[in-house]
Amino acid sequence: QVQLVESGGGLVKPGGSLRLSCAASGFTFSDYYMSWIRQAPGKGLEWVSYISSSGSTIYYADSVKGRFTISRDNAKNSLYLQMNSLRAEDTAVYYCARDKGGSYMTFDYWGQGTLVTVSS
Amino acid sequence: QSALTQPASVSGSPGQSITISCTGTSSDVGSYNLVSWYQQHPGKAPKLMIYEVSKRPSGVSNRFSGSKSGNTASLTISGLQAEDEAGYYCCSYAGVSTLGVFGGGTKLTVL
């Protein structure tokens, strides 16, 4: 069965950095585009970043462009999000999600999420 | 890119039908048949309920249906059940410059 397990969240000071990881299993990871999506406490979902199956094509939301870097290691079945220059407004649960093949911005499997708190 | 517009809340009694709207623009909902809907129970990850406007993933009840007219997509839940009480989010592809945008979410209460 498809599983996505995020890790790496925690408490970080404004301006600090954090690296999130997402371990994938139960499917051929290298065949699928992947995304990071976040949800601030009590708020809605916000798409953050998207990476193609090979890693050659990457997109970011304007709110994180220049600060966050998405990457993947297909040999390790893992997705990453390097977050730098963190701000209070980056506080959220971060989900990794699999893009349903052949349908942009359609996320058919999600991890359980990892909480990132940016506070002094 | 602004979020898609959804009503903050809707409610219905068991057995009734409800519809949740999702209004975008000609740059997103109106231009692509790539609208998806997600159900989220408190403390849980979202679950895909509808994709490509009106398609249901395997395992999703046929009580859930989707449609689109112009810049507005809609999710209809028929035969409401207590377990349908949750948050619902729409999402649309918005082209290569923005990629995608979510709606603000709608809380469904089953009375």
Side-chain angles (χ1 to χ4, degrees):
Chain A
Q1 70 284 17
V2 173
Q3 277 199 311
L4 298 169
V5 180
E6 302 94 336
S7 60
L11 176 63
V12 61
K13 289 181 167 55
S17 298
L18 213 53
R19 188 194 196 207
L20 305 184
S21 299
C22 172
S25 60
F27 66 102
T28 305
F29 181 70
S30 59
D31 285 348
Y32 288 86
Y33 288 28
M34 299 292 295
S35 277
W36 287 98
I37 296 157
R38 68 184 180 183
Q39 186 170 35
K43 302 296 185 182
L45 300 169
E46 179 188 16
W47 168 77
V48 172
S49 185
Y50 185 94
I51 186 168
S52 63
S53 53
S54 66
S56 60
T57 302
I58 285 172
Y59 296 94
Y60 297 101
D62 288 344
S63 58
V64 307
K65 204 172 291 184
R67 300 187 299 122
F68 289 13
T69 302
I70 191 171
S71 62
R72 64 191 296 161
D73 186 335
N74 287 341
K76 294 183 177 180
N77 291 337
S78 292
L79 176 72
Y80 306 101
L81 186 68
Q82 177 66 43
M83 304 186 296
N84 298 331
S85 302
L86 282 161
R87 307 166 180 167
E89 54 264 35
D90 295 318
T91 293
V93 173
Y94 285 72
Y95 295 100
C96 71
R98 190 181 84 167
D99 186 84
K100 182 174 171 38
S103 188
Y104 279 125
M105 294 300 289
T106 298
F107 310 106
D108 60 352
Y109 286 94
W110 299 61
Q112 84 289 351
T114 187
L115 176 62
V116 172
T117 303
V118 184
S119 174
S120 54
Chain B
Q1 180 73 28
S2 300
L4 306 175
T5 300
Q6 298 181 232
S9 63
V10 298
S11 61
S13 299
Q16 288 186 331
S17 295
I18 63 95
T19 296
I20 299 171
S21 62
C22 169
T23 301
T25 69
S26 57
S27 297
D28 38 62
V29 175
S31 287
Y32 308 98
N33 288 325
L34 290 170
V35 176
S36 51
W37 288 90
Y38 302 87
Q39 176 192 65
Q40 186 181 34
H41 288 104
K44 301 294 187 183
K47 175 186 175 183
L48 178 65
M49 304 303 284
I50 295 288
Y51 68 100
E52 292 177 8
V53 175
S54 60
K55 297 179 181 178
R56 268 190 315 275
S58 173
V60 171
S61 170
N62 60 8
R63 297 186 299 106
F64 291 83
S65 61
S67 62
K68 190 185 87 167
S69 177
N71 296 337
T72 298
S74 298
L75 173 71
T76 298
I77 309 173
S78 59
L80 270 179
Q81 299 179 1
E83 67 243 37
D84 299 332
E85 184 163 295
Y88 290 86
Y89 294 88
C90 61
C91 180
S92 176
Y93 177 67
V96 294
S97 60
T98 302
L99 206 65
V101 62
F102 279 95
T106 298
K107 178 175 169 51
L108 168 62
T109 300
V110 179
L111 302 170

